[in-house]
Amino acid sequence: MNNLNKDILLGTAIGDALGLPIQFLEREVVAKNPITTMEGLDQFNVPAGTWSDNTSLSFCLAESLCNGYDLNDIINKFTKWMYEDYWTPANETFDINYINYFTIVNLRNNGSPHVAGIDNKRGNRDGSLMRILPLVPYILNMEEENRFRIIKEISSLTYRHSRSILACIALCEFAIQYINLQSVEEAYQAMQQTILQLLKKEMFIEEDIPFKRLVSLSYEEFKAIELKDIRSTGYVIDTLEASLWCIFNTTSYKDAVLKAVNLGDDTDTVGAITGGLAGIIYGYDTIPSEWLEVLAKKDDIIELANKLDSIMK
């Protein structure tokens, strides 16, 4: 698997850590002093290399998969993160997404993993999209039906609306198709065909308008979307499109994540997802060493990735 888990986990954490210090700043503000390297975060008094809930929950999922696929175990890991500071960069939980808080409380109070998540159009934030990529190596060689079922179940722990689920499927399919085809353009085209087929199913039939741009534009057309028309608001479709756009318009890990975080607004999440994809495409060994040196719990992350590699081989 060529260190795929390391590519995803380190790639995600670095992108997240780059974006966290400017989280929620408007694009115009960020443009005046763009991010070029790791910085600390005065708001929470944390040093450079600190990552957020995007990465914490990604690592909870990754660690759970070390023991196989068990929704209850994933729930336990999420709950430990929120209540016991598990898989946090400095052993303290901070900056909790309010929907994640609400749904994890539901899960903790014996809510069913299949119905605890938010299921309304207004709740389609990027809270499940941000933590889904560590699933890719686990489902890589599965039949489509099983892949989609597992993605749906894991997204639904916090976000179970069809739009969030389909966005998670799109992201994972792009990653899987890239691994198989080794071409960003061909991976995008293959993902489009998958989403077009799923949009015909009853569960997703009302999602054709939100996904229209993603499935109707050619690779070159999507790549050519102007910056002003790429949004990074935290809405799940915006985040998915922004992450892919950053990948399409760069040719290195460094450039991809810097483009992502300098979009402004939900910088840590767009940075994390773009970082995970860029890790898959370029490899963790292309991440600037000065960024890795300050990454919180770097050795623990590498140990987790290696454990996953050994189990999945």
Side-chain angles (χ1 to χ4, degrees):
M1 199 163 286
N2 290 327
N3 295 309
L4 181 56
N5 290 294
K6 200 177 295 186
D7 296 335
I8 293 171
L9 299 188
L10 289 173
T12 296
I14 290 288
D16 187 351
L18 282 167
L20 185 60
I22 54 170
Q23 183 185 27
F24 304 135
L25 291 183
E26 294 181 355
R27 186 172 300 174
E28 294 74 18
V29 175
V30 174
K32 294 176 182 177
N33 187 27
I35 290 289
T36 59
T37 191
M38 287 289 184
E39 298 181 5
L41 177 61
D42 293 336
Q43 179 183 358
F44 297 108
N45 191 30
V46 295
T50 300
W51 25 271
S52 75
D53 57 340
N54 302 281
T55 299
S56 291
L57 292 174
S58 295
F59 291 169
C60 286
L61 171 59
E63 184 165 310
S64 182
L65 291 173
C66 289
N67 300 314
Y69 179 61
D70 182 341
L71 282 176
N72 288 320
D73 187 62
I74 298 170
I75 291 168
N76 289 338
K77 298 287 192 297
F78 286 2
T79 303
K80 284 182 67 177
W81 162 73
M82 197 164 83
Y83 290 99
E84 301 175 32
D85 306 320
Y86 189 66
W87 267 120
T88 53
N91 301 316
E92 181 179 1
T93 304
F94 67 96
D95 191 31
I96 301 176
N97 172 298
Y98 74 95
I99 292 180
N100 281 337
Y101 177 83
F102 172 78
T103 54
I104 290 172
V105 168
N106 278 351
L107 291 167
R108 188 194 194 199
N109 294 333
N110 299 314
S112 166
H114 301 287
V115 298
I118 296 293
D119 182 23
N120 62 67
K121 292 179 181 179
R122 295 181 63 186
N124 277 304
R125 306 292 291 173
D126 51 21
S128 60
L129 191 72
M130 72 185 192
R131 57 174 169 80
I132 203 74
L133 278 177
L135 183 62
V136 166
Y138 183 80
I139 62 174
L140 182 60
N141 297 314
M142 290 183 179
E143 296 293 329
E144 277 191 351
E145 183 177 352
N146 284 334
R147 290 209 302 264
F148 300 160
R149 173 184 59 82
I150 291 174
I151 293 169
K152 174 187 175 183
E153 290 174 351
I154 291 181
S155 175
S156 295
L157 293 175
T158 52
Y159 293 76
R160 62 186 175 95
H161 189 271
S162 55
R163 192 167 306 165
S164 288
I165 292 168
L166 192 57
C168 287
I169 290 173
L171 181 64
C172 289
E173 282 300 294
F174 174 79
I176 288 169
Q177 294 301 331
Y178 177 82
I179 293 165
N180 290 332
L181 300 170
Q182 294 295 298
S183 164
V184 169
E185 181 172 359
E186 291 179 15
Y188 173 67
Q189 293 167 345
M191 178 269 287
Q192 285 182 305
Q193 293 306 309
T194 297
I195 301 305
L196 283 168
Q197 290 303 310
L198 289 174
L199 286 170
K200 297 176 183 178
K201 294 185 177 295
E202 183 178 356
M203 179 180 181
F204 301 117
I205 202 164
E206 295 183 0
E207 299 303 326
D208 56 334
I209 294 176
F211 282 86
K212 183 177 181 179
R213 187 159 75 165
L214 195 66
V215 299
S216 64
L217 296 184
S218 70
Y219 171 77
E220 291 297 337
E221 289 170 336
F222 195 96
K223 180 179 178 180
I225 296 173
E226 293 185 31
L227 174 62
K228 65 181 179 62
D229 295 322
I230 291 295
R231 296 174 291 274
S232 48
T233 62
Y235 170 49
V236 67
I237 299 296
D238 289 351
T239 299
L240 176 61
E241 290 188 343
S243 299
L244 290 172
W245 183 82
C246 290
I247 290 294
F248 295 174
N249 281 283
T250 52
T251 56
S252 70
Y253 178 92
K254 179 179 180 180
D255 289 347
V257 291
L258 290 178
K259 183 174 283 290
V261 301
N262 285 311
L263 290 174
D265 297 311
D266 198 8
T267 51
D268 57 333
T269 304
V270 179
I273 294 170
T274 304
L277 288 177
I280 292 170
I281 294 166
Y282 302 109
Y284 74 92
D285 53 348
T286 68
I287 298 173
S289 58
E290 63 269 25
W291 295 357
L292 284 171
E293 286 171 4
V294 298
L295 183 65
K297 294 191 174 178
K298 179 188 70 174
D299 292 341
D300 292 338
I301 298 169
I302 293 172
E303 182 179 349
L304 173 59
N306 289 337
K307 183 178 179 182
L308 273 170
D309 274 339
S310 64
I311 289 170
M312 293 183 185
K313 282 180 179 175

